[in-house]
Amino acid sequence: KNMKSKGEHGTILLVEDEEMLGELYTRTFERTLYRFVWVKCTDDARAFLEKEKPDILFLDLIVPEKPHGILDYGKRQGFEFLKQYRKYLPKNIIVFTNLDDNEDRQAARRLHVSDYMVKANLLPKEIIQIADKYIGSYAKKGRKTSARF
């Protein structure tokens, strides 16, 4: 039997402070061969990234810096994180937010993220398709996955 193991398709890091969404995506990826790691603040994301580099990072823009930290809706902590920890970041970075405005999209583009996704527009299975597109079998076949937002 060809037993496939967890993580065989790569590691996904999600930085998302909303409990409900974090749990939903954890359950969604349980049925895949991806290893899925969910953290709730940028401090925990940094700690993970200092130890290992995931294949893809899904990053909310409005997340606290510290565990149980205060959310500052005026501050895009996700962007701060991208600027500060560039050297630790994987090649595939998906901004994963409910902020759907051109200013944020342009800021993401300037920070060379791979894609910009509005959470409210996505079904859980579409998140798996995004991971497949950037790090799954498609990406491994050498298809170009440049930013398309």
Side-chain angles (χ1 to χ4, degrees):
K1 262 187 189 161
N2 183 9
M3 293 296 288
K4 292 188 180 284
S5 61
K6 205 76 180 142
E8 190 173 308
H9 287 178
T11 298
I12 294 165
L13 176 63
L14 169 69
V15 185
E16 168 61 70
D17 60 304
E18 287 179 50
E19 203 75 33
M20 206 181 78
L21 282 177
E23 285 171 8
L24 173 68
Y25 294 120
T26 299
R27 283 196 308 275
T28 300
F29 277 98
E30 263 169 15
R31 299 187 297 274
T32 71
L33 291 175
Y34 290 109
R35 176 171 159 243
F36 186 77
V37 179
W38 165 39
V39 297
K40 298 175 191 169
C41 65
T42 56
D43 272 6
D44 290 348
R46 190 201 65 237
F48 178 84
L49 289 166
E50 284 172 355
K51 290 197 294 283
E52 63 178 293
K53 195 173 262 192
D55 297 283
I56 193 166
L57 167 67
F58 283 96
L59 177 68
D60 191 3
L61 289 181
I62 297 181
V63 285
E65 190 175 352
K66 310 247 176 260
H68 313 294
I70 293 148
L71 273 186
D72 181 346
Y73 287 95
K75 185 180 173 202
R76 309 289 197 251
Q77 178 59 28
F79 284 148
E80 291 305 307
F81 177 72
L82 289 178
K83 288 175 200 159
Q84 287 171 8
Y85 298 104
R86 194 82 228 168
K87 67 175 182 183
Y88 294 111
L89 299 174
K91 185 180 76 177
N92 301 302
I93 301 165
I94 312 293
V95 166
F96 191 56
T97 182
N98 274 325
L99 301 171
D100 191 10
D101 63 76
N102 278 334
E103 235 173 272
D104 288 318
R105 284 176 183 271
Q106 262 148 27
R109 221 178 257 127
R110 284 193 298 274
L111 289 164
H112 308 291
V113 307
S114 312
D115 224 326
Y116 190 103
M117 302 284 169
V118 178
K119 291 187 246 186
N121 302 344
L122 292 169
L123 295 166
K125 68 173 187 212
E126 292 175 294
I127 306 297
I128 296 173
Q129 289 163 358
I130 294 162
D132 287 345
K133 178 175 124 180
Y134 285 97
I135 59 172
S137 51
Y138 297 112
K140 288 197 176 75
K141 287 192 180 96
R143 291 199 179 92
K144 198 163 167 3
T145 52
S146 58
R148 281 190 197 81
F149 66 94

